[in-house]
Amino acid sequence: MPYAIDPPDELANAVQQIALTSSDADYIDQLVPVLRDVRRSDRANRLVQSLDALAARREAEIEKMCNSNHQEFVSSVNALLRVREGTVELTSDILNLNQSIQASTEKLAEQKKALVESRGVRQNIDEANRALESCLEVLRLANQVHDLLAKKKHYAALRALDELQNVHLREVARYKIADIIEKSVPATQKMIGDAVMADLNTWLYRIREASQYLGEVAFYHTDMRRTRLKERMDKDSNMTKFRLNSAIDLVADEADEFDILNNEETETQVDFSPLFECIHIHETLGQIDRFRHEYAATRKSQKDLVIPDSVRLLDEDEADLSSLLESIAGFAIVEKATMRKMHNFRAPADVDELWQSMCQRTITLITKALPAVNDDEKLLKIKSRIALFIQTMDSWGYNVASLNALLLKIFDKYAQLLKQRFSEDFQEIVSTDDYMPMPINSIDEYDKVVNVSWYTPEKSREELEFPCVLPFSQMYPLCCIDIRNFLNQIYLFSDEHFQRSAIIDDTLRDSLDELLSEKVCQSLVDRLSSQYPGQIVQILTNLGHFEIACSELQSLLYEARSNKSGGSAEIELHATEKFKEGKKMAEKRIFELVNSKIDDLIEIAEYDWTASTPLTVPSNYIQELTQYLSVNMDSVLLGLPTEIKELVYFDALSHAATMILALPLDLNVKSISAAAVKTLSNDVQHLSQFVESLGNPILDENLDELRQTVMLMGSENAEEEFFDVAQRNRKFGKVDNMNGAVLLEKVQQGAAVPVQSPTRTADRFANIGSRFGLNR
């Protein structure tokens, strides 16, 4: 039969399943799920309709079955009625159950809705809690950055900020606080940079303040190295070839390690941690180039603060100069240490530029203050401090060429002051000398004089008897002392700290030449104008010893140069030639004085050329002449060397003979009597006897012309003997032809009889003159 309801749906299927159940339990089990979903009335109605449709189908089936089998049908109808009745009851129960389930379902839905709502709130609360915790962690880290900054832990603060930015802020990126903190990161980074720069500036200030002490420690270390090098030189002569900071010295000094920057003994400790931290932080911030430029500018400005506007060189112990050099040394050492500890941070060109700038400024200050220094000892101390500074900085690899040039300027000043001082000393010694042979009263005094003088005694030390006299005057050993002092003081500048030995040698040579030539030799030569032969003789003796001293000095300077530089060029002092020339001038002056005295004595000769009776005793002038020559040679000229003394004798006798011979040749003498000739002959004989007593045949030869001329004047056959060439050469070979002819004429004029006419006399002289080719 046709269906009375709509086509089956899911409820119909459910009802079909319920109908097919084999037991009540299964029926209930199939019904419960359907009733659980029946919440609305339409679905309940549809369920009822489905059940009704099922019942109708079942009735149709039963009716069909009943048509074929009535009894069975009746039974089935009865059964069906019972089923229907049960179905109605069941339907009622289902409806009741449905209402009950619907009521409980609504309640459950409300509870579930409340539960869902509470779970949403709880989830929101949890999410809010987690977000709050994340934000609090971010805030904690942000505060931690500032706490670390307050504790001066700059790198830790930067690491915390980096962690905050790259990790924690990403976790809270959706919250506004992340944006706020993200925007504050650059400011915080700047705060870290400023804080670390502030600490670095404090460190730089402390370093600048400690630079002087650091330089003082460096100077102390260099001085100790000098001492060790000197000890090695004393033990091994081969070490004298090597200077401080040479490779050999550095190797030999390796055992004595000394860390200037960190040393417990000197209590120095330069901690570069602030700089390391600052560099690391700026590298992390990507600002290392900017920091490098800022650091360079800061050090440049600090360099200007290290060097003052002026320096005093006249203060006691060179405190001002030492402070300046120590400060520069400490500053430069920190720069070099920074460059060595942090590669590629400080450029070598920048460090060298700073160093050269400080050197030039220092050189300018010292050069400006140098003219005020007029004490050579003070200059020596200044040089010593600068040399120590040079050696210290050379050991750190700095270029010290400009400072070596400064030492040359100081040396020039030093040499000028020494030359001025010793020039004054020499002038005083020369002007206050007594120009007498130096008396010696004891062997100790003798040893002192010989040790300081370049003098080789004629007698051995054991043969001397005191008191005695030395040939030179007191000025000679005093000048020798000054010369030695001058040498020593010049060489005081030349030590292992000043590598310009050739310049010192040249300066020493030139200075000695000037002092000896101008201040000693010239002063002695100027005194040759004296009228005292004894003083001239002493000057000549002193000049001779100074000449010897110059030769010794040349050898001494040559040895000193060879020992220092290995040079082989000979050293020549021009003063040696000056002293030789001075000796010649002194000898000439002695000759002049002796001859002048001889001229004075001979000028007082009073010959009566027309006398009729000869004098039986020598004339007064000839006696005084021989006495002068004897006394002068034995006393005044005693100090002359033998060869000089013989030359003086020779020249004096030659001059005396010439002057005596000039007396009868005087134009005012017209005639000479035989008595006058005899008187002249007696005087010449007296002079000859004096010369013979000297025991020198050479001196006696000086009188040959005078003796032969006087013999010619007194000869009876003078005319025949003189005009006969053979006899003249044999007896009168030394007589001048003209002088002989003139004197023979005067003698004949004096011997002529009164009746003799002037005409005949003139004719006779003319004949004599014509025989010798003379014109009257």
Side-chain angles (χ1 to χ4, degrees):
M1 58 182 293
Y3 289 107
I5 58 174
D6 294 333
D9 54 9
E10 63 272 13
L11 292 178
N13 292 333
V15 171
Q16 187 69 28
Q17 291 294 331
I18 293 171
L20 294 177
T21 56
S22 60
S23 64
D24 295 337
D26 292 336
Y27 165 73
I28 297 300
D29 290 337
Q30 293 293 329
L31 181 62
V32 169
V34 176
L35 295 177
R36 186 178 297 167
D37 292 332
V38 178
R39 297 180 183 176
R40 295 175 302 186
S41 58
D42 56 342
R43 288 184 64 86
N45 295 329
R46 287 177 60 191
L47 176 61
V48 173
Q49 289 176 3
S50 297
L51 291 174
D52 289 342
L54 178 61
R57 286 193 302 271
R58 294 293 186 182
E59 287 179 356
E61 292 175 358
I62 292 170
E63 185 178 354
K64 184 177 180 181
M65 292 173 65
C66 286
N67 291 330
S68 61
N69 193 350
H70 182 265
Q71 185 65 36
E72 292 179 359
F73 176 74
V74 172
S75 298
S76 296
V77 168
N78 293 332
L80 182 60
L81 290 174
R82 289 193 296 271
V83 170
R84 182 178 181 86
E85 182 179 358
T87 300
V88 172
E89 292 177 359
L90 181 61
T91 300
S92 176
D93 292 338
I94 289 172
L95 290 176
N96 294 332
L97 180 60
N98 181 48
Q99 292 176 353
S100 175
I101 290 173
Q102 187 173 0
S104 62
T105 299
E106 290 177 357
K107 183 178 181 181
L108 182 61
E110 291 177 359
Q111 291 178 350
K112 186 175 182 179
K113 181 178 179 182
L115 179 60
V116 169
E117 291 179 354
S118 65
R119 285 179 178 178
V121 173
R122 177 66 178 271
Q123 185 177 0
N124 291 338
I125 292 174
D126 291 341
E127 290 179 357
N129 187 39
R130 287 194 296 270
L132 183 60
E133 289 179 353
S134 299
C135 293
L136 289 175
E137 180 65 16
V138 169
L139 289 175
R140 185 187 67 79
L141 289 175
N143 292 331
Q144 185 181 12
V145 171
H146 293 277
D147 292 340
L148 291 172
L149 275 179
K151 295 177 181 179
K152 303 296 184 181
K153 297 180 179 180
H154 305 111
Y155 184 67
L158 188 62
R159 289 291 302 273
L161 182 63
D162 183 67
E163 181 182 356
L164 174 65
Q165 183 181 15
N166 296 321
V167 178
H168 297 282
L169 283 183
R170 292 181 180 179
E171 296 177 356
V172 295
R174 61 185 181 276
Y175 305 119
K176 189 174 182 180
I177 190 173
D179 185 53
I180 295 174
I181 294 179
E182 182 70 30
K183 291 180 180 179
S184 69
V185 167
T188 306
Q189 289 178 339
K190 186 176 185 304
M191 288 176 60
I192 295 174
D194 293 343
V196 76
M197 282 300 295
D199 284 355
L200 180 66
N201 290 333
T202 302
W203 178 78
L204 287 173
Y205 173 78
R206 292 174 180 172
I207 287 294
R208 181 173 66 82
E209 291 295 314
S211 292
Q212 182 177 349
Y213 182 67
L214 188 62
E216 184 180 350
V217 172
F219 286 2
Y220 165 77
H221 175 52
T222 302
D223 194 51
M224 294 300 295
R225 291 181 57 212
R226 282 182 181 177
T227 303
R228 291 195 293 271
L229 178 61
K230 187 176 183 302
E231 291 174 354
R232 288 192 289 269
M233 289 179 177
D234 294 339
K235 294 178 181 179
D236 185 359
S237 59
N238 292 326
M239 290 297 296
T240 56
K241 302 176 183 178
F242 305 105
R243 302 294 181 182
L244 196 71
N245 296 328
S246 64
I248 297 298
D249 172 64
L250 294 175
V251 171
D253 213 36
E254 281 182 346
D256 298 293
E257 295 184 358
F258 186 93
D259 190 354
I260 295 176
L261 299 174
N262 294 282
N263 188 274
E264 294 181 359
E265 180 182 354
T266 56
E267 297 182 355
T268 55
Q269 184 175 6
V270 180
D271 184 11
F272 284 89
S273 298
L275 181 57
F276 291 147
E277 184 181 29
C278 199
I279 293 174
H280 195 47
I281 286 176
H282 281 86
E283 284 181 345
T284 305
L285 294 175
Q287 300 174 356
I288 187 63
D289 291 335
R290 182 177 64 84
F291 172 65
R292 187 183 291 114
H293 292 308
E294 288 182 359
Y295 183 85
T298 302
R299 291 298 281 170
K300 187 174 182 179
S301 62
Q302 282 192 328
K303 175 263 299 182
D304 296 332
L305 296 176
V306 168
I307 303 177
D309 295 331
S310 63
V311 60
R312 291 180 298 120
L313 300 180
L314 299 178
D315 57 338
E316 187 177 357
D317 298 330
E318 298 76 45
D320 204 21
L321 177 62
S322 297
S323 175
L324 171 62
L325 298 181
E326 289 166 358
S327 297
I328 294 175
F331 186 93
I333 287 172
V334 170
E335 281 296 294
K336 188 67 74 171
T338 302
M339 188 174 69
R340 292 177 180 177
K341 289 177 179 293
M342 285 147 281
H343 300 289
N344 302 324
F345 175 65
R346 291 292 282 150
D350 293 341
V351 175
D352 290 339
E353 182 183 358
L354 273 181
W355 166 250
Q356 292 299 333
S357 175
M358 290 190 293
C359 285
Q360 291 302 323
R361 181 75 180 277
T362 303
I363 291 171
T364 301
L365 292 177
I366 295 176
T367 303
K368 185 178 180 180
L370 204 57
V373 182
N374 294 316
D375 183 5
D376 53 277
E377 293 184 0
K378 173 65 74 173
L379 274 180
L380 205 58
K381 293 178 181 179
I382 292 172
K383 171 259 173 185
S384 179
R385 297 304 296 174
I386 295 177
L388 182 61
F389 173 63
I390 290 175
Q391 287 185 318
T392 300
M393 303 320 296
D394 184 46
S395 66
W396 281 88
Y398 281 107
N399 187 346
V400 294
S402 58
L403 294 172
N404 283 328
L406 174 63
L407 285 185
L408 283 180
K409 291 182 181 179
I410 296 177
F411 174 70
D412 289 339
K413 175 78 172 180
Y414 177 75
Q416 290 296 328
L417 289 179
L418 280 182
K419 188 164 63 176
Q420 180 181 352
R421 177 160 66 86
F422 281 95
S423 173
E424 295 172 356
D425 290 346
F426 283 135
Q427 287 180 337
E428 183 179 359
I429 290 171
V430 172
S431 63
T432 58
D433 191 51
D434 57 3
Y435 294 96
M436 296 290 290
M438 185 176 182
I440 301 295
N441 298 317
S442 65
I443 188 66
D444 293 337
E445 186 178 351
Y446 173 81
D447 289 339
K448 291 179 182 178
V449 173
V450 172
N451 289 335
V452 300
S453 305
W454 286 279
Y455 171 60
T456 303
E458 296 179 358
K459 294 182 180 181
S460 64
R461 188 171 179 271
E462 291 75 15
E463 296 175 355
L464 293 173
E465 295 181 0
F466 298 95
C468 66
V469 293
L470 297 179
F472 43 77
S473 65
Q474 189 176 2
M475 70 159 290
Y476 177 68
L478 291 178
C479 287
C480 288
I481 292 174
D482 266 7
I483 291 172
R484 292 181 184 275
N485 288 337
F486 183 75
L487 290 173
N488 292 333
Q489 298 218 11
I490 285 289
Y491 281 129
L492 279 177
F493 208 96
S494 174
D495 48 23
E496 69 273 13
H497 323 311
F498 186 66
Q499 309 297 328
R500 302 296 181 93
S501 58
I503 294 177
I504 289 185
D505 290 335
D506 293 341
T507 302
L508 179 58
R509 181 197 60 203
D510 297 341
S511 299
L512 275 178
D513 250 342
E514 182 178 346
L515 289 173
L516 293 174
S517 299
E518 297 182 5
K519 304 305 177 182
V520 178
C521 183
Q522 189 59 45
S523 297
L524 292 175
V525 170
D526 292 342
R527 289 183 172 273
L528 292 177
S529 59
S530 172
Q531 299 298 319
Y532 301 100
Q535 186 174 5
I536 305 301
V537 170
Q538 191 60 60
I539 291 174
L540 175 61
T541 303
N542 291 347
L543 287 170
H545 283 88
F546 276 115
E547 181 185 354
I548 296 173
C550 284
S551 300
E552 296 292 336
L553 276 173
Q554 289 178 171
S555 301
L556 184 65
L557 293 176
Y558 172 74
E559 292 176 2
R561 170 175 286 186
S562 299
N563 292 336
K564 289 184 294 182
S565 59
S568 58
E570 294 185 359
I571 295 179
E572 181 181 357
L573 291 176
H574 300 296
T576 306
E577 193 63 32
K578 293 287 186 181
F579 283 115
K580 287 182 180 179
E581 295 175 359
K583 281 175 57 180
K584 293 179 181 178
M585 295 175 66
E587 292 171 5
K588 182 179 179 181
R589 180 59 179 162
I590 290 174
F591 295 154
E592 290 176 357
L593 288 178
V594 173
N595 293 340
S596 176
K597 182 63 176 178
I598 291 173
D599 291 344
D600 293 341
L601 292 174
I602 293 177
E603 282 179 2
I604 65 174
E606 296 179 355
Y607 283 106
D608 184 1
W609 299 109
T610 61
S612 57
T613 305
L615 297 176
T616 57
V617 295
S619 302
N620 291 333
Y621 89 91
I622 203 69
Q623 293 184 32
E624 291 183 7
L625 175 62
T626 54
Q627 184 180 6
Y628 167 73
L629 291 175
S630 175
V631 173
N632 192 56
M633 291 301 174
D634 292 339
S635 59
V636 179
L637 305 181
L638 181 64
L640 286 176
T642 303
E643 64 275 9
I644 302 294
K645 189 185 297 184
E646 291 178 353
L647 285 175
V648 172
Y649 258 127
F650 187 88
D651 185 75
L653 291 173
S654 177
H655 183 71
T658 301
M659 295 302 296
I660 292 173
L661 186 59
L663 292 175
L665 288 172
D666 190 274
L667 296 177
N668 294 323
V669 179
K670 303 300 182 180
S671 62
I672 302 175
S673 65
V677 172
K678 182 62 176 174
T679 299
L680 180 60
S681 179
N682 290 338
D683 291 343
V684 172
Q685 182 64 28
H686 180 76
L687 181 60
S688 297
Q689 292 175 354
F690 168 73
V691 174
E692 290 175 0
S693 67
L694 298 177
N696 191 337
I698 297 177
L699 297 179
D700 189 58
E701 292 177 1
N702 279 343
L703 301 181
D704 286 349
E705 182 182 4
L706 178 60
R707 281 196 297 260
Q708 291 180 15
T709 301
V710 174
M711 287 174 59
L712 175 62
M713 293 172 64
S715 176
E716 294 180 356
N717 301 318
E719 188 173 341
E720 290 76 6
E721 294 175 347
F722 185 71
F723 293 119
D724 186 336
V725 176
Q727 294 187 48
R728 184 176 76 244
N729 290 339
R730 180 171 56 83
K731 296 181 65 175
F732 310 110
K734 298 290 185 179
V735 178
D736 183 84
N737 292 338
M738 179 181 288
N739 291 340
V742 172
L743 291 175
L744 283 178
E745 180 186 359
K746 292 184 178 182
V747 170
Q748 290 177 359
Q749 186 72 21
V753 294
V755 298
Q756 191 175 14
S757 65
T759 303
R760 290 182 60 191
T761 303
D763 293 340
R764 183 179 175 85
F765 179 77
N767 292 333
I768 295 174
S770 64
R771 292 174 64 182
F772 286 94
L774 303 174
N775 292 323
R776 178 101 179 243

